[in-house]
Amino acid sequence: MTLPIDPSQIDPDDIGATQTTLEMDHEAAIEHVREVFTDAGFGVPVEFSPSELLNEKVDADRDPYYVLGACNPAVADRALEATDGKMGGLFPCNVVVREEAPGRQLVYHVSIMRIARLVGMAPDDDEMADIIADTGEIVDDAFEAL
């Protein structure tokens, strides 16, 4: 299979990659990120720990790694409408909290809206551009509050 895009040519801005580091305990960082994203207008309907699952199931010995599945219902509804429902295949917008070292957590997010447009799941039109801009603004606000 040939990829429709060259991954080496993707700029982090193309996928809305955003990250920051928090100097706090892993559990405290999860709580903090959840609160900040909720205050920014996201719900967190899904969350799980891949590290706990992998450590238990395949003895992976992974450092703490947690995923908060965030969703802004108004934007999600617009995205589903704009993509004939395809956007749901990428829902929710994940925010990762990964322990880099004890007391140091990396918080990372990529824009599923930008990725969907990049790979052809979403149209490259003004409506999708507005959705991407709105989502980006909400995520930027959340990261500034972290």
Side-chain angles (χ1 to χ4, degrees), residues 23-107:
E23 300 293 335
M24 62 178 63
D25 171 79
H26 187 68
E27 293 300 321
I30 292 168
E31 292 299 320
H32 181 63
V33 171
R34 185 186 300 111
E35 287 176 21
V36 167
F37 271 78
T38 299
D39 289 348
F42 287 95
V44 183
V46 178
E47 50 187 287
F48 65 102
S49 173
S51 59
E52 286 180 15
L53 176 69
L54 295 172
N55 290 346
E56 177 186 319
K57 299 293 184 184
V58 295
D59 196 26
D61 194 31
R62 295 244 171 221
D63 291 333
Y65 190 108
Y66 201 83
V67 177
L68 296 160
C71 179
N72 178 290
V75 176
D77 185 52
R78 289 170 52 206
L80 284 172
E81 187 69 29
T83 64
D84 279 336
K86 294 175 187 165
M87 196 70 217
L90 296 177
F91 282 174
C93 299
N94 291 323
V95 182
V96 172
V97 180
R98 178 173 57 93
E99 186 173 78
E100 291 185 312
R104 184 176 171 85
Q105 314 305 317
L106 176 71
V107 181

Side-chain angles (χ1 to χ4, degrees), residues 117-140:
R117 187 175 60 181
L118 191 65
V119 299
M121 289 177 67
D124 188 11
D125 61 15
D126 289 343
E127 181 180 9
M128 197 65 202
D130 288 345
I131 292 168
I132 289 168
D134 292 346
T135 304
E137 186 177 311
I138 298 167
V139 169
D140 288 348

